[in-house]
Amino acid sequence: MKVLGIETSCDETGVAVYDTESGLRAHALYSQIALHAEYGGVVPELASRDHVRKLLPLVRETLREAGMTTSDLDGVAYTAGPGLVGALLVGAGVARSMAWALDVPAIGVHHMEGHLLAPLLEDDPERGRPEPPFVALLVSGGHTQLVHVEAIGRYRLLGETLDDAAGEAFDKTAKLMGLPYPGGPQLAALAEQGRPGMFRFARPMTDRPGLDFSFSGLKTQVLLAWKDSDQGDEVRADIARGFEDAVVDTLSIKCERALDAAGCDTLVVAGGVGANKRLRAKLDEMTRKRGGRVSFPRPQFCTDNGAMIAYAGALRLAAGQHGDLAVRVTPRWDMASLEAVVHGS
């Protein structure tokens, strides 16, 4: 089954074709970073307009790269939520229109399920794809969640952030230290130059039981340290390193607790922060020590992309799930409400 995937939940336009027999055929991504940089954050109306301009050219480019035409498609998948309502409607409108014109099924995909399944998109050359049950750490710009994946489509929330998500904390901390937009990747790169141990910040909520997160207090600690410093380049790098170490340690501690709570030793990690090198190394070390494994998608599939939507949609379409002809999006959508994927049903 060949499925076109469309992602337009925020500020990146992603398109991909996934074939259930041969895997990922092609993918393309357009980022709006330059468009929003002068505003220091995403402007929803501008994001929607840019998706309108870029989506159809990307669809044509992706199909051409895959050596296919629209008549070769067996289905269309698109991000239906969570996300910015205007941006979501652009992708949903194009996807539903294509599906109607081609007389193929279409399905709206949960954005976070797309991220959760991204580590399963491609085979690990050494260990193959992880199979449920496992624990998923979802760390994107707006979400930090620990989820027990009992089966594809059967998810139980173990813990989540009570305030800023890890990605938001990276971005906001970078901004308060004067780093350019988008700040998270800039701060992570700066942390590579920082000296470990020069600044030690709290590991929030690790001194008590539970699997929830809170990063707003950590952000405040960094702000105070920055204001009390000489604000030079060296101290900026040292603070960045201290902040990153605190976030990485916190995520690792909570992940190990979640594995214990779920009674398994397989962890998958997805979302933009999942591309962080230090986080990858820390979680790999932690899972190996307990005789388990951790799986990550390729760094380019950690951020929003069409490939994860095409894959998640292909799984559901192959199981006989699809929607009606209405263009619907769900800007706020609980992943626990999703239907389980049962093939052959």
Side-chain angles (χ1 to χ4, degrees):
M1 187 176 204
K2 301 175 182 66
V3 177
L4 178 75
I6 293 174
E7 155 61 24
T8 62
S9 65
C10 190
D11 61 342
E12 286 164 317
T13 313
V15 180
V17 174
Y18 184 84
D19 187 334
T20 54
E21 293 184 1
S22 59
L24 186 64
R25 294 282 295 270
H27 63 95
L29 183 71
Y30 172 77
S31 173
Q32 300 176 0
I33 285 177
L35 174 66
H36 300 289
E38 64 177 295
Y39 305 100
V42 177
V43 181
E45 179 63 23
L46 294 181
S48 301
R49 293 179 183 182
D50 216 36
H51 287 308
V52 171
R53 285 190 289 263
K54 297 299 191 300
L55 183 52
L56 287 178
L58 275 182
V59 169
R60 289 192 286 267
E61 175 189 333
T62 305
L63 288 171
R64 188 165 53 248
E65 183 184 334
M68 296 166 54
T69 66
T70 53
S71 61
D72 296 314
L73 295 173
D74 301 305
V76 183
Y78 62 94
T79 302
L84 302 175
V85 64
L88 292 168
L89 283 168
V90 175
V94 169
R96 285 290 173 190
S97 300
M98 287 185 66
W100 178 81
L102 297 170
D103 194 24
V104 297
I107 190 165
V109 172
H110 193 291
H111 179 75
M112 294 311 295
E113 181 177 48
H115 275 304
L116 185 152
L117 297 177
L120 284 63
L121 179 62
E122 300 170 302
D123 282 328
D124 184 316
E126 295 181 6
R127 295 175 286 186
R129 302 186 192 193
E131 295 288 338
F134 55 74
V135 169
L137 171 67
L138 305 179
V139 274
S140 66
H143 298 81
T144 300
Q145 296 178 327
L146 283 164
V147 179
H148 184 203
V149 179
E150 299 168 358
I152 304 301
R154 192 175 296 129
Y155 309 123
R156 181 167 60 92
L157 182 66
L158 299 174
E160 62 184 338
T161 185
L162 303 179
D163 40 57
D164 289 343
E168 286 178 307
F170 265 93
D171 289 339
K172 291 178 180 179
T173 299
K175 187 174 183 178
L176 68 85
M177 290 198 297
L179 296 176
Y181 175 86
Q186 303 276 353
L187 188 145
L190 187 62
E192 293 292 320
Q193 307 168 30
R195 295 169 293 177
M198 297 302 295
F199 287 87
R200 180 172 175 82
F201 302 112
R203 277 54 175 163
M205 297 183 69
T206 59
D207 59 347
R208 70 197 78 170
L211 296 172
D212 288 330
F213 301 91
S214 173
F215 293 106
S216 62
L218 174 59
K219 184 183 61 182
T220 302
Q221 288 183 44
V222 172
L223 174 61
L224 294 174
W226 175 245
K227 284 184 173 180
D228 289 343
S229 73
D230 63 11
Q231 300 187 6
D233 290 342
E234 187 174 63
V235 76
R236 181 188 276 112
D238 290 342
I239 290 176
R241 176 61 185 269
F243 168 81
E244 184 181 68
D245 284 346
V247 172
V248 167
D249 284 352
T250 300
L251 292 173
S252 178
I253 290 167
K254 296 285 186 170
C255 282
E256 185 157 24
R257 287 183 187 176
L259 290 171
D260 289 338
C264 63
D265 289 308
T266 299
L267 177 70
V268 304
V269 182
V273 182
N276 183 280
K277 295 178 181 177
R278 195 159 284 119
L279 177 63
R280 287 183 171 230
K282 185 80 171 181
L283 294 179
D284 183 61
E285 177 187 20
M286 181 270 289
T287 52
R288 284 181 185 275
K289 281 184 177 178
R290 57 187 292 137
R293 63 175 290 192
V294 61
S295 293
F296 305 90
R298 275 193 272 163
Q300 64 183 306
F301 294 144
C302 286
T303 55
D304 295 351
N305 63 87
M308 68 184 192
I309 303 304
Y311 177 64
L315 291 181
R316 291 190 173 275
L317 287 169
Q321 299 179 18
H322 59 83
D324 56 26
L325 295 177
V327 177
R328 295 190 185 92
V329 297
T330 310
R332 295 181 181 274
W333 190 2
D334 182 2
M335 196 165 63
S337 68
L338 293 176
E339 184 180 352
V341 176
V342 181
H343 290 274
S345 59

